[in-house]
Amino acid sequence: MDFIMYKLILVGVVFGVTLFVAAYSTYAERKVAAFLQDRIGPDRAGPFGILQPLADGLKFIYKEEIIPVVSNRFLFVLGPCIAMMTAMMAGVLIPWGDTLVFGDNVYALQIADLNVGILYVFGVVSIGVYGIMIGGWASNNKFSLLGAIRASAQMISYEIAMGLSIIALVLVTGTLSLGEISAQQTGGVGGEWHFWNVVYQPLGFLIFIICAFAECNRTPFDLPECETELIGGYHTEYSSMKLGFYLFAEYINMFVSAAVISTLYFGGYNFPFMNDLGLDHNTISIIGVLVLISKVCFFIFFFMWIRWTIPRFRYDQLMNLGWKVLIPLSIFNIFITGLVILIKNNNWTW
């Protein structure tokens, strides 16, 4: 019973933090955009505009909810629900910190640690395509359908390169568990120094983060919803909280992507010299949680920074990059990684 209560509390905390970070990412995006464009940004709702996310949420709630007569009502409602649900499900496998020890009880700061954790994350992310596709098709609007088709083709194409980049990482770590991958990046264990995986897989990281931009429909890969070409994209016919779910799911996906990148390539909750501080285990674990959150915040800022730096691709350029550049690079990365591991395991000399 204690175990179940602890897990329920952890689920509630992760759920609340995810919603909070996603909500204030909308505020941060406007402030970052204002800073890069020499503007002020939101400054009306509360001090420094800090209550802007609350105002946005109330605005969505009180907007008129319109469901087109010619739409498929059930699927029209189901689309944003799938997008929001799949965005939330991916965070349950993130190891947010090391264990906490109270007496004889050990509590892991991870909701679930599956031995096929990476496959679960990819599976859940893949289901998110259905939310976008169903929303565009159920609207019975040809422009929404075109936006949904472009979004689905983009996400499916870049998932291939992302999956191939992870294969090379799995060859290096020897596991699919996010918890084990994060634990392996602890520095200075048993007299052996373990670097973060980005040191061993720089090309894999580069491919993964580019694909993460495409999966989240972020600039320069925001073709599915670029207003100048296809009005509002796949969610053109949506209003009120259904539109809010689609927009909110994008920021949740950005938060989860930043957490996954931090866990796979940048040590997760680990930080340099963490074992040399002379602090007790629980204190180190709490500091590790804060370190992981700071890494996540950096990558969220990086997502926003890129938005106001790089112009949008044309659709043919986007697909060429995915199929003709990133997939061959991913295969090349797998080959080089396998060759290096083979040479190392057999003690071959150059």
Side-chain angles (χ1 to χ4, degrees):
M1 194 64 186
D2 292 341
F3 175 80
I4 294 175
M5 288 300 299
Y6 168 70
K7 289 297 182 181
L8 289 177
I9 293 173
L10 189 58
V11 168
V13 171
V14 171
F15 181 77
V17 169
T18 301
L19 293 181
F20 177 82
V21 173
Y24 272 88
S25 292
T26 63
Y27 170 77
E29 177 122 59
R30 299 180 186 185
K31 281 296 187 180
V32 170
F35 173 75
L36 294 176
Q37 298 169 358
D38 197 20
R39 297 186 288 107
I40 297 176
D43 66 343
R44 292 290 186 269
F48 306 103
I50 200 70
L51 299 179
Q52 187 65 45
L54 180 61
D56 291 338
L58 291 175
K59 178 189 72 174
F60 275 117
I61 291 173
Y62 283 104
K63 272 183 174 290
E64 182 182 3
E65 184 175 353
I66 299 174
I67 298 179
V69 178
V70 293
S71 67
N72 185 314
R73 188 180 183 90
F74 173 74
L75 295 179
F76 190 83
V77 175
L78 182 63
C81 294
I82 293 177
M84 190 71 174
M85 181 184 67
T86 55
M88 294 296 302
M89 288 173 61
V92 301
L93 293 186
I94 304 297
W96 300 102
D98 203 351
T99 58
L100 293 176
V101 180
F102 297 101
D104 296 331
N105 299 319
V106 179
Y107 299 99
L109 296 177
Q110 184 179 10
I111 297 175
D113 186 14
L114 303 179
N115 56 1
V116 290
I118 295 179
L119 296 182
Y120 170 86
V121 172
F122 273 87
V124 169
V125 170
S126 300
I127 297 174
V129 177
Y130 289 96
I132 293 175
M133 193 65 213
I134 289 174
W137 183 82
S139 299
N140 203 11
N141 179 320
K142 60 183 178 181
F143 294 107
S144 297
L145 180 60
L146 285 173
I149 291 174
R150 297 209 307 184
S152 302
Q154 170 182 316
M155 295 177 71
I156 293 171
S157 300
Y158 279 81
E159 278 176 4
I160 298 174
M162 179 182 283
L164 291 175
S165 68
I166 290 298
I167 290 177
L169 181 65
V170 171
L171 288 175
V172 173
T173 60
T175 179
L176 292 169
S177 167
L178 292 176
E180 292 182 19
I181 291 175
S182 186
Q184 288 179 7
Q185 300 175 76
T186 304
V189 176
E192 182 181 355
W193 189 265
H194 298 268
F195 294 101
W196 291 348
N197 286 331
V198 68
V199 176
Y200 307 112
Q201 284 291 307
L203 180 57
F205 161 69
L206 181 62
I207 295 170
F208 189 92
I209 195 170
I210 292 174
C211 294
F213 274 89
E215 289 290 301
C216 296
N217 293 331
R218 297 287 302 181
T219 308
F221 303 100
D222 62 337
L223 273 299
E225 51 189 50
C226 52
E227 294 81 359
T228 55
E229 297 181 20
L230 291 176
I231 45 178
Y234 59 89
H235 49 56
T236 298
E237 300 292 345
Y238 284 88
S239 61
S240 189
M241 280 308 296
K242 294 185 182 65
L243 175 61
F245 277 177
Y246 270 128
L247 301 180
F248 209 56
E250 176 182 319
Y251 284 96
I252 294 177
N253 283 325
M254 187 167 66
F255 170 69
V256 172
S257 296
V260 171
I261 292 171
S262 302
T263 300
L264 294 181
Y265 292 99
F266 286 87
Y269 53 81
N270 297 303
F271 56 95
F273 309 109
M274 60 185 295
N275 298 310
D276 301 327
L277 298 178
L279 301 175
D280 63 275
H281 178 78
N282 288 348
T283 304
I284 292 293
S285 297
I286 294 173
I287 295 175
V289 174
L290 299 177
V291 167
L292 176 58
I293 292 176
S294 66
K295 294 176 184 177
V296 170
C297 291
F298 168 78
F299 281 109
I300 290 176
F301 168 75
F302 186 70
F303 273 84
M304 298 172 181
W305 184 10
I306 292 296
R307 176 174 181 176
W308 305 107
T309 305
I310 299 179
R312 178 184 294 134
F313 286 118
R314 292 198 318 263
Y315 194 71
D316 61 316
Q317 294 173 330
L318 178 143
M319 299 305 286
N320 283 337
L321 176 65
W323 287 97
K324 296 182 180 180
V325 178
L326 294 183
I327 291 179
L329 275 178
S330 300
I331 296 174
F332 173 75
N333 188 42
I334 294 173
F335 173 77
I336 294 299
T337 302
L339 182 62
V340 170
I341 292 175
L342 185 65
I343 292 173
K344 180 180 178 180
N345 290 344
N346 290 279
N347 294 321
W348 293 347
T349 60
W350 296 98

